[in-house]
Amino acid sequence: MRHLLSCVRHNQLNHRRITPRIHFILCANYKPQKPQPPPAPPSPPKPPKKPVSFSHHDESWEDSYSWMSQLNDKVAMRHMDVYMEQEEKYTEAVMSDTERLQSKLQSEMGSRLSNDLSTPTLRWGPWLYYRRVEEGKQYPVLCRRLARANEDFISNKSPSAGFDFTSGKRIEQKLLDYNEEAERFGGYAYEELSEVSPDHRYLAYTMYDKDNDCFKLSVRDLNFGSLCSKPQADWVSNIAWGKDGQALLYVVTDHCKRPYRIYCSMIGSEQDDVLLLEEPSENGYVSIRHTKDFQFVTVHIFSTTSSKIFLIDAADPLSGMIPVWECEAQAHCIVEHHQGYLYLFTDAAKDGQSVDHHYLLRSPVNCSLNGRKWENIFRDDSEIIIEDVDFSDKHLVLIVRDGRNFRLCSISLPLPSVKEEIKLKELSPQFLPLPKNVSQITPGTNCDYCSSTMQFTISSPLMPDAVVDYDLSSGKWNIVQQQNLLHERTKVLYGSSSSASFIQSPRNLGSNNEVNPENHSVWNDLSEFYACEVHDVTSYDGIIVPLTVVYSRKRIKQAENPGLLHGHGAYGEILDKRWHSELKSLLDRGWVIAYADVRGGGGGGKRWHHDGRRTKKINSIYDYISCAKFLIEKEIVQDNKLAGRGYSAGGLLVASAINLCPGLLRAAVLEVPFLDPTNTLLNPILPLTPADYEEFGYPGDINDFLAIRKYSPYDNIQKDILYPAILVTSSFNTRFGVWEAAKYVARVREYSVYDPKHPVLLNLTADIVEENRYLHCKESARETAFLIKMMES
C-alpha cells in the first residue's frame, strides 16, 4: 500500500512538472478558428403569379394575385393552402430568435389576466344574471340566482358559485352551457344575440353555425332547461320579445345577408310562424328592438335614401304596424317609450339641414303620422353634446361630451311640459362621479326598466375598465368589477377592496365631473406610474387632430423612446384607447403608446366622421401621418423608432400611410386588415352593408371609384422603395378575407426593396383566439416580440 501511494504521489509531481511544457506546446500549435458566418436569413415564399386584367370607369389595371380569392376554384385553393403553409414556416423562421422573448412576454401578459372569470351580475326583477367560466372549461356558463337569497355569502367567481353554505343548498340555476353549445356547432361556440323573455321563462339566442355560415335561432325553456320545438330558424339577425313573453319576433336575412323579413312566432304553438313584413328593395334593411318597458316593438326600415320607424303593439304583435317617423337619407334612430310619450334619439337632418350630433325628440303615442309632431327637448348647445341616452321609469341618463371630456348625468322623469326648447342645465342634471382621462362610457344592458340602478363601463388609458352601478335615486355608486393590477393578491386573500362597497357621491359635481383627488385610488388608477397627455396636431389642411400619448413616468427620455401609434378612423367609431394589459409590457420597456383620433372616427361629431370617408378618406390618412411626424418632431419618440398599428379598417389607414411615407415608420402591425378595397367593393365575395359603401365609397360612382383607387393600400405600393417591417395577421374567419392579407404581403415583397432586416410577414391566427384569452396572450406576445425585434435590429 505504501508503495502504491508513493507511485501515485510521484505521478502527480511529474504531472505538475510537465504541465507548463505541454501548455507551451499546445499554445505554440494553436490556430484560432475562423468565426462562423451567421446563418443566411430565410427566404420569403413566392406565390405563383397569374395576371388578370380588370377595367372600370375607363381605367384598367392588372392583378397577378387575384387567383387567391377564387374560392370556388379547387386548384387555386390548393395553391393557397401550400402558400399559407410556406408563409407560416417563413414567419416562424424569422421569429425563431425571439422564442425566449415571446415566452417571457406571454408569461408577463398571462400573469396580468384577471382572476375574475365571471361577468358582473345584472339584476333584473328578482334575478341576478351572470356568466362565469368553470375550471377546465373553454366557454362560459350563463347562470342566474335569486337576488334575495343570502347575497353576502354567495360568490359567482368560483366553480362552487351559487352554493349557500348556511343552508347547504345550491341556489344557482344554470341556464345555458356554451361548452355544450360548442358540441352542437362543431366545436365552436359564438353567440351573436341573447334575450331573456320579460317573464323570465324563456331564453332566445343565436349561435353561429360554421357549416352553413349563418346564425341559428334557438329558444330554451328556463324552467326545464330544454329546447323549444319552435322557432328554430336560420339566418337570423335580430330578435325582440313581446310583452308577455309568449311571442318572439325575429328578422332573417336573404342569401346576401340582407335583413329583409320579420316573423312572429308564438311560443308553444304548433302554428307556423307568421310573416309580418318583407322589404322588397335590394337596398332596404330591417331591424327591430323592443322598448325597455316591453310596451312596443320598434321596426326600423332604412336605406341610403330614407329611414322609417314603425310601432308594433307588443301585447298583440299581429295587429299591424303603425308608422311614427320618416326622414330622407339614412339616419340613426332609437325609439323609447315612457308614460305615453315616444322619445326618438336620432341624428337625422333638421328642417332639411344636416346636423353634426344626435338630439332627443318627444311625441305623444296616440297620434296619426300626418298629425304627429315631434318636439325637440333640448336647445342646441355647442358646449355639451349628447352622445347617448338610457331610460328607466324614473330617470333619463345622458352620456354627454363637454369638449373632449365625457360626462355622465341623470335627470328625473317625467320631463316637464315646456313649449320651448330648454338647456340641459335648466333641468338640474345630477352629474355622476368619474375618474380622470375617461376615454369612453359604455352603457350596460340595463334590462330592468323599474330599477333606479344603472350599470356603465368606464374606460380610460390609465386604468382597467371599471363596471359601475349608479343608484340614480340615492346618488350612491359601486364599482362592481375592476381589475386591481397593484393589489389583486391582497384582494384575493382579504376580501373585497374598499372600492367594491357603496360610496356616497356628491350630488352635483360641477364642471369638473371628477371624484375628489384623495379618492382617486378607489378607481384603481395607474396614474402614479403612467402619464396620459393629449396634444393638438395640425394636419395638412389646418385641421386640429387630437393625439393621446401614454408613457411610463420612470422610463420616459426625450428623443430616446420607441413608440407605437394606433389608428382606426372609420364608421364614426370612437378609437379604442382603453387600458390593455398587454401594452404594459411595452410601456415598462420604455415605449410610448399613442392614439391618433383621425377624421372618419368618432368623438368629433357627424362632420368629423363624414370628413374622413368616401371621397374624403384620404384626410384620415394624412391626419395619421401628421400625428406620426408630430411624435418624432417633438422628440416624444426617437427618430426611426416609430411603429404603427391598425385593426380591420385601421389596417387600411396604416397601410395607406406607409404607401405615402414608406420611411416614416420602422415597423407596423396590421391586424385582420382591409387592404384591397378596389376589388372587394367591386366584387364583394363577403357580403357588404350600406355602411361599408358609405364609408369607403361606391365603385359605381366615378368620384368614389377614383378616390378608392387613390387610397387603396394594395393598388399604391411603391416600387423600388424600402418598406418598413410589416406583420400582417389574418384569419379564415375574419370579415375581410384572408386573401386580402396574402395578396398585399406578396405584392409588397414583389415591388419593394428586399432587406431581411425589414421582413414582411403573414401570420394566420386561430379562429378561436378571441374566445381563449391564453391564446390571445400568445398572439399578443408574438406581435410585441416582433415590434421589439424590429426596433433593436
Side-chain angles (χ1 to χ4, degrees), residues 532-644:
C532 179
E533 300 174 354
V534 180
H535 299 271
D536 290 334
V537 177
T538 303
S539 191
Y540 78 106
D541 56 355
I543 296 297
I544 301 300
V545 180
L547 175 65
T548 303
V549 176
V550 181
Y551 57 89
S552 169
R553 294 185 184 275
K554 295 182 179 179
R555 299 297 301 271
I556 192 69
K557 295 180 181 179
Q558 188 173 13
E560 293 185 17
N561 297 80
L564 180 62
L565 178 60
H566 294 256
H568 185 65
Y571 298 107
E573 296 173 349
I574 294 177
L575 179 63
D576 184 6
K577 298 189 288 287
R578 297 174 298 159
W579 171 267
H580 292 278
S581 61
E582 59 265 27
L583 292 179
K584 187 176 187 297
S585 293
L586 288 177
L587 288 169
D588 292 346
R589 286 172 170 81
W591 283 62
V592 172
I593 308 298
Y595 303 89
D597 277 305
V598 303
R599 280 172 283 186
K606 204 171 181 180
R607 188 175 297 110
W608 188 261
H609 171 213
H610 287 185
D611 284 347
R613 67 184 184 96
R614 296 184 69 168
T615 57
K616 298 180 179 180
K617 192 67 187 173
I618 199 71
N619 285 340
S620 63
I621 300 165
Y622 282 123
D623 290 350
Y624 184 86
I625 292 172
S626 298
C627 289
K629 291 181 177 179
F630 180 91
L631 290 171
I632 296 171
E633 291 170 358
K634 297 298 180 180
E635 298 187 333
I636 299 172
V637 172
Q638 183 177 346
D639 188 18
N640 198 33
K641 284 205 172 182
L642 177 63

Side-chain angles (χ1 to χ4, degrees), residues 253-555:
T253 66
D254 61 14
H255 64 282
C256 294
K257 297 189 178 180
R258 176 181 68 92
Y260 78 121
R261 284 179 178 173
I262 303 177
Y263 286 92
C264 178
S265 178
M266 306 305 294
I267 307 298
S269 170
E270 298 297 328
Q271 298 178 355
D272 293 338
D273 297 348
V274 179
L275 177 63
L276 300 184
L277 171 73
E278 180 172 355
E279 172 56 38
S281 171
E282 294 183 356
N283 296 322
Y285 294 74
V286 177
S287 68
I288 60 174
R289 65 183 297 272
H290 64 78
T291 56
K292 290 190 69 174
D293 60 2
F294 285 99
Q295 295 290 324
F296 300 98
V297 173
T298 63
V299 179
H300 187 192
I301 304 175
F302 61 94
S303 67
T304 56
T305 58
S306 66
S307 291
K308 301 176 183 178
I309 301 290
F310 298 83
L311 285 187
I312 295 177
D313 186 349
D316 187 9
L318 302 181
S319 61
M321 301 190 306
I322 303 172
V324 295
W325 166 264
E326 183 175 354
C327 70
E328 295 181 358
Q330 182 178 342
H332 178 243
C333 304
I334 297 293
V335 174
E336 274 297 343
H337 173 254
H338 184 272
Q339 296 185 8
Y341 279 93
L342 296 177
Y343 289 84
L344 173 64
F345 186 61
T346 183
D347 61 354
K350 283 184 180 180
D351 302 323
Q353 299 294 321
S354 177
V355 297
D356 200 24
H357 303 284
H358 286 74
Y359 55 94
L360 190 63
L361 300 176
R362 180 173 65 173
S363 176
V365 172
N366 298 321
C367 290
S368 64
L369 178 61
N370 294 332
R372 182 176 300 280
K373 292 184 179 180
W374 290 88
E375 60 179 9
N376 194 25
I377 297 176
F378 300 113
R379 190 182 308 163
D380 292 340
D381 189 343
S382 59
E383 295 181 359
I384 297 182
I385 305 301
I386 300 176
E387 295 286 347
D388 205 351
V389 298
D390 203 349
F391 281 83
S392 70
D393 62 339
K394 295 181 180 179
H395 295 91
L396 167 65
V397 177
L398 305 174
I399 298 175
V400 300
R401 182 167 50 82
D402 183 358
R404 295 175 184 167
N405 300 316
F406 286 93
R407 306 171 68 187
L408 191 60
C409 69
S410 68
I411 299 172
S412 297
L413 289 177
L415 295 177
S417 298
V418 293
K419 295 183 179 180
E420 296 182 356
E421 302 169 1
I422 57 177
K423 285 197 171 185
L424 175 61
K425 63 182 180 181
E426 296 176 25
L427 294 175
S428 302
Q430 304 301 322
F431 286 92
L432 304 173
L434 297 175
K436 291 182 178 180
N437 303 304
V438 172
S439 62
Q440 193 169 357
I441 303 173
T442 308
T445 308
N446 296 329
C447 295
D448 199 338
Y449 179 70
C450 297
S451 174
S452 63
T453 299
M454 284 194 182
Q455 195 170 92
F456 298 86
T457 299
I458 312 300
S459 301
S460 163
L462 293 184
M463 73 174 194
D465 282 358
V467 181
V468 185
D469 277 351
Y470 287 103
D471 189 325
L472 307 175
S473 297
S474 66
K476 294 182 179 180
W477 56 289
N478 174 29
I479 299 179
V480 295
Q481 190 176 75
Q482 185 188 27
Q483 185 182 10
N484 189 330
L485 294 175
L486 302 178
H487 308 293
E488 192 67 36
R489 188 177 300 274
T490 303
K491 287 174 64 178
V492 171
L493 292 175
Y494 301 106
S496 300
S497 68
S498 61
S499 64
S501 59
F502 268 104
I503 301 171
Q504 182 72 36
S505 68
R507 291 302 297 167
N508 200 324
L509 297 174
S511 59
N512 290 331
N513 196 26
E514 297 172 358
V515 184
N516 293 331
E518 60 269 23
N519 292 331
H520 275 314
S521 59
V522 82
W523 291 99
N524 297 330
D525 197 327
L526 300 172
S527 56
E528 178 183 351
F529 308 96
Y530 307 100
C532 179
E533 300 174 354
V534 180
H535 299 271
D536 290 334
V537 177
T538 303
S539 191
Y540 78 106
D541 56 355
I543 296 297
I544 301 300
V545 180
L547 175 65
T548 303
V549 176
V550 181
Y551 57 89
S552 169
R553 294 185 184 275
K554 295 182 179 179
R555 299 297 301 271

